[in-house]
Amino acid sequence: MCGIIGYTGQSEALPILLEGLSRLEYRGYDSAGISVFNKNKTHTTYRAAGKLNELKKLTETSKATGLSGIGHTRWATHGEANTINAHPQSDTYGNLSVVHNGIVENYLDLKQELTNEGHLFNSDTDTETIPHLIEHYMNDGTGFEEAAEKSAARIKGANAVVVMCNDQPDKIVAFRTGNAGGVLIGYGDNEMLVASDIPAILGYTNTISHLLPGELAVLHPNSVQFKDQDGNPIKKEKTFVPNDPISIAKGDYRHFMLKEICEQPDAIIASLMGRLSSEEGLFSLEDLNLTADDINKISKVTLTGMGTSLHAAMLARLWMERIAGIPSEWDNSSEFRYREPLLDENSLFISISQSGETADTLAAMEEAKKKNISQITLCNYSNTQASRIADQTLQIRAGLEIGVAATKTFTCSLVTLYALAIYLGVQREKINGKEAAKLIEELFRLPEMIGTVLANQGQYEELATLYHSSSDFLFLGRGYNYPIALEGALKLKEVSYIHAEGYPAGEMKHGPISLIDESMPVVALVPKDELYEKMMNTINEAKSRGAIVIAVASESDTEIEQKVDHVIRIPDVSDSLSPIVASIPMQLISYYFAVRRGCDVDQPRNLAKSVTVE
Ligand code: G6P
């Protein structure tokens, strides 16, 4: 989704802004732009559709000088992904420059009003109404800062806006409306930065403050003033963010996605560290703050998320029911918010969002909050929008994930949810200490099991060589592995652009079977679990219609080879943990197919790492 960077200080702004934008590339974008301001009270704007390289080429031919500026990577919502619609956007006379993340919900009304007044619009964006609105107030003699404040009060929807003005070239104004699109302020040495997220400014500062919805910040090279939504000055806490250069660098890996897939054993250890002990009775989820009474009273767990996080929610429902013994449901966040859900006061609402920024998930959380329901959110970062809405946050501790396709954040969300289910199960006496210790002991073996799967990557390259030109794939699973079939199909679509469908295997006869022929690879998740025989029946049905079957099967399954075309082995593992192990082959299939097809693995077309608009 859109990325924002701004700088005011003592150094040339252009290279700092370009560097910041390149660190925001992982969010996903389709055009980019920069404005550099100088002491002569003018500014130069560069904008280009496509990748950052296009923008860099423009800046190489005529390097703008100036000690301040703003930059943006745009993920189109209103108006085509072209140069005219790229940010920064300006006002009628080119005095202002604005970058923006979000959707101005009332932009049509504002545009009409401003056009009637004589403002000239150039783009199809909602963003362009912002500089014109500020210009409108400045035309009355209102100062830049106050005009920005007045405009913020009129803009509807969840927005993050950063604006600069020719008259005061060292000043940056940033504000937020509504509950999406993060803005953080970075404190440098005689320089200040503003950004949509942390990687953009690491290297210049490790000290930041977060802007909350309704707040506004005015940055100068040596100072920053904050105001609340009523315009009153406020003080903000400073937070220290540690550098994580190892995660930021790709190291020897060709892509971040592969690096992050391979980091999973370590990431899972980090997720579990200090949380669980396999000694009977010794058990803590130290960052969870629910009393025994709260836990015993839970009448229903409602889980929600989007994309890969939704698949984590689907899987967690099974754990909540079977390990914790609590009636549970899941819903896609964008559906939940509009379905008038029936939740009683003892419901527990669990949202999963690695970014903690996904607009639909935040909106679902707000919906649950209106009903006064106790809320836990799972995020990969601290100080997220989601943590501010939820009563408590469980950090999944996956470390920075740069690849747009979620991999280690998925498995770390899963282990955290699994640990939570065990914790609730023990407290509610659905399982006893001994049973919990057994589950935890196996959970601790997960990094090693995943390591075994990761050690055997040659076979995925071979599969990619054989089937990379297939136009359709089917992923089938049952029980615990049904959400993993959905995740396998999603991953393949996301990074390799091959059409794929995920189904519960039992559903195959009710439609998908008509797609099967000898050109259709079917990935069957068939570990030796309680539904093994049922899965084998489905595999036989697919084989007898000519399908190419790639089975993800247990190490101890000695018969599978004769029944399918290819076998990917996973270690023998309990039914309830098998989906976490089986998710690794899903990631590796999509990665190697995408590489073979020459796709942009880390930044797939049209996708964004965090989707901050509805
Ligand atoms: C986007 C990403 C997906 C991710 C989903 C939810 O669509 O491309 O990979 O699963 O958002 O993101 P979240 O940050 O809420 O987990």
Side-chain angles (χ1 to χ4, degrees):
M1 233 13 34
C2 305
I4 290 176
I5 172 85
Y7 172 85
T8 178
Q10 318 302 326
S11 307
E12 282 300 331
L14 184 63
I16 296 173
L17 298 172
L18 284 171
E19 166 73 16
L21 290 185
S22 66
R23 290 178 177 213
L24 290 172
E25 279 192 290
Y26 75 96
R27 289 171 70 94
Y29 68 103
D30 37 43
S31 59
I34 277 177
S35 288
V36 177
F37 283 71
N38 62 50
K39 283 189 186 128
N40 302 330
K41 301 195 172 177
T42 58
H43 72 269
T44 311
T45 294
Y46 306 97
R47 295 182 298 171
K51 291 288 171 191
L52 215 47
N53 255 349
E54 301 304 315
L55 181 71
K56 284 184 182 157
K57 277 188 220 156
L58 292 181
T59 61
E60 270 157 20
T61 45
S62 71
K63 264 200 177 77
T65 54
L67 307 182
S68 58
I70 50 180
H72 189 261
T73 48
R74 173 173 186 251
W75 189 83
T77 59
H78 289 63
E80 224 182 291
N82 59 21
T83 307
I84 300 276
N85 292 331
H87 302 197
Q89 290 286 324
S90 197
D91 57 334
T92 307
Y93 294 104
N95 186 37
L96 297 159
S97 186
V98 166
V99 291
H100 161 229
N101 185 4
I103 294 175
V104 179
E105 286 176 3
N106 54 337
Y107 86 102
L108 284 175
D109 291 345
L110 290 172
K111 193 168 177 175
Q112 189 61 56
E113 176 189 322
L114 293 160
T115 307
N116 292 346
E117 243 178 48
H119 289 257
L120 297 176
F121 282 79
N122 286 310
S123 75
D124 305 318
T125 61
D126 54 330
T127 306
E128 200 186 352
T129 54
I130 304 171
H132 285 281
L133 191 58
I134 299 174
E135 181 185 36
H136 155 86
Y137 287 114
M138 289 178 76
N139 283 346
D140 293 344
T142 307
F144 165 48
E145 200 180 309
E146 202 188 325
E149 270 180 72
K150 285 186 167 172
S151 302
R154 291 202 52 203
I155 292 168
K156 295 212 171 105
N159 296 284
V161 176
V162 179
V163 52
M164 291 188 71
C165 174
N166 278 345
D167 305 342
Q168 300 170 60
D170 68 346
K171 179 190 270 191
I172 300 178
V173 176
F175 61 84
R176 285 187 61 192
T177 69
N179 215 344
V183 176
L184 55 91
I185 309 298
Y187 301 81
D189 191 7
N190 283 328
E191 54 191 11
M192 294 292 298
L193 296 111
V194 54
S196 50
D197 47 2
I198 294 166
I201 59 167
L202 282 181
Y204 298 99
T205 180
N206 295 82
T207 310
I208 60 161
S209 292
H210 285 273
L211 216 56
L212 297 181
E215 292 179 348
L216 178 140
V218 182
L219 285 73
H220 289 99
N222 290 307
S223 66
V224 56
Q225 290 88 42
F226 294 102
K227 290 183 181 175
D228 67 14
Q229 54 192 6
D230 301 319
N232 302 316
I234 47 168
K235 282 209 152 82
K236 304 247 4 145
E237 259 178 42
K238 290 182 182 172
T239 313
F240 180 79
V241 282
N243 264 331
D244 191 358
I246 298 161
S247 289
I248 287 171
K250 217 181 286 174
D252 291 337
Y253 289 96
R254 195 166 155 199
H255 297 102
F256 278 112
M257 183 178 177
L258 184 61
K259 176 174 183 268
E260 287 153 6
I261 289 172
C262 294
E263 280 171 352
Q264 287 175 107
D266 287 341
I268 288 172
I269 292 170
S271 273
L272 294 175
M273 196 84 85
R275 280 193 165 146
L276 304 173
S277 160
S278 59
E279 269 174 57
E280 200 178 326
L282 247 187
F283 193 91
S284 86
L285 212 52
E286 91 287 349
D287 38 6
L288 190 72
N289 185 16
L290 288 178
T291 65
D293 192 39
D294 294 335
I295 293 173
N296 282 318
K297 271 201 208 142
I298 300 171
S299 56
K300 179 170 81 171
V301 171
T302 299
L303 296 129
T304 196
M306 297 296 284
T308 293
S309 290
L310 174 64
H311 298 151
M314 292 173 76
L315 190 43
R317 179 191 66 168
L318 299 174
W319 293 330
M320 289 300 159
E321 293 196 338
R322 297 181 73 168
I323 299 176
I326 312 175
S328 300
E329 61 172 8
W330 56 264
D331 204 354
N332 177 300
S333 306
S334 65
E335 293 295 316
F336 175 85
R337 60 185 293 198
Y338 296 114
R339 81 164 151 94
E340 296 181 17
L342 299 175
L343 302 174
D344 70 46
E345 56 182 7
N346 294 320
S347 295
L348 173 66
F349 188 78
I350 301 179
S351 53
I352 301 140
S353 175
Q354 63 81 24
S355 63
E357 266 197 62
T358 298
D360 283 310
T361 304
L362 296 179
M365 294 174 73
E366 291 286 8
E367 198 55 40
K369 194 167 192 166
K370 278 190 215 150
K371 295 175 189 294
N372 266 327
I373 306 302
S374 168
Q375 286 204 41
I376 298 175
T377 192
L378 271 75
C379 297
N380 195 29
Y381 303 101
S382 48
N383 287 318
T384 64
Q385 316 284 346
S387 328
R388 291 192 194 103
I389 302 172
D391 303 310
Q392 20 198 329
T393 303
L394 285 177
Q395 296 287 334
I396 62 167
R397 304 175 183 168
L400 189 64
E401 187 177 74
I402 301 271
V404 164
T407 52
K408 62 176 179 168
T409 53
F410 179 54
T411 46
C412 287
S413 296
L414 291 180
V415 293
T416 309
L417 288 160
Y418 196 80
L420 178 62
I422 299 173
Y423 185 75
L424 298 178
V426 171
Q427 303 296 320
R428 289 169 69 98
E429 296 181 8
K430 168 75 171 46
I431 51 173
N432 61 34
K434 221 182 197 151
E435 287 163 326
K438 206 167 148 226
L439 292 174
I440 295 166
E441 206 176 307
E442 196 190 24
L443 196 51
F444 280 129
R445 284 185 29 237
L446 197 55
E448 187 198 327
M449 289 192 258
I450 290 179
T452 319
V453 180
L454 290 172
N456 195 6
Q457 290 183 34
Q459 61 183 322
Y460 301 96
E461 274 186 289
E462 284 162 28
L463 288 171
T465 305
L466 288 172
Y467 305 121
H468 70 276
S469 50
S470 301
S471 53
D472 306 279
F473 261 72
L474 197 58
F475 286 76
L476 299 174
R478 286 193 84 141
Y480 287 115
N481 279 294
Y482 162 44
I484 303 303
L486 294 180
E487 176 61 10
L490 175 65
K491 279 276 127 352
L492 194 67
K493 280 185 275 209
E494 279 182 317
V495 293
S496 76
Y497 315 147
I498 297 176
H499 170 243
E501 301 278 351
Y503 271 98
E507 183 71 10
M508 191 186 74
K509 289 201 269 296
H510 302 279
I513 198 163
S514 65
L515 296 172
I516 289 181
D517 62 19
E518 48 294 331
S519 66
M520 165 87 127
V522 175
V523 177
L525 290 142
V526 59
K528 278 256 177 194
D529 63 10
E530 60 188 355
L531 292 165
Y532 178 78
E533 298 302 335
K534 306 269 177 209
M535 271 305 294
M536 284 316 297
N537 292 342
T538 306
I539 287 175
N540 291 336
E541 286 157 11
K543 270 311 303 164
S544 46
R545 283 157 184 86
I548 303 151
V549 176
I550 302 165
V552 176
S554 304
E555 211 59 77
S556 61
D557 186 346
T558 49
E559 284 153 33
I560 190 89
E561 241 106 16
Q562 290 105 56
K563 300 188 175 144
V564 301
D565 302 86
H566 306 277
V567 183
I568 296 170
R569 295 289 180 179
I570 57 169
D572 289 351
V573 54
S574 68
D575 292 10
S576 56
L577 260 197
S578 75
I580 307 186
V581 184
S583 65
I584 311 300
M586 304 297 102
Q587 299 169 354
L588 289 168
I589 289 174
S590 64
Y591 173 75
Y592 282 101
F593 273 66
V595 170
R596 187 68 174 71
R597 287 163 65 91
C599 300
D600 189 347
V601 177
D602 285 332
Q603 292 157 35
R605 67 183 178 210
N606 303 335
L607 293 182
K609 181 83 190 149
S610 30
V611 178
T612 49
V613 291
E614 185 181 347

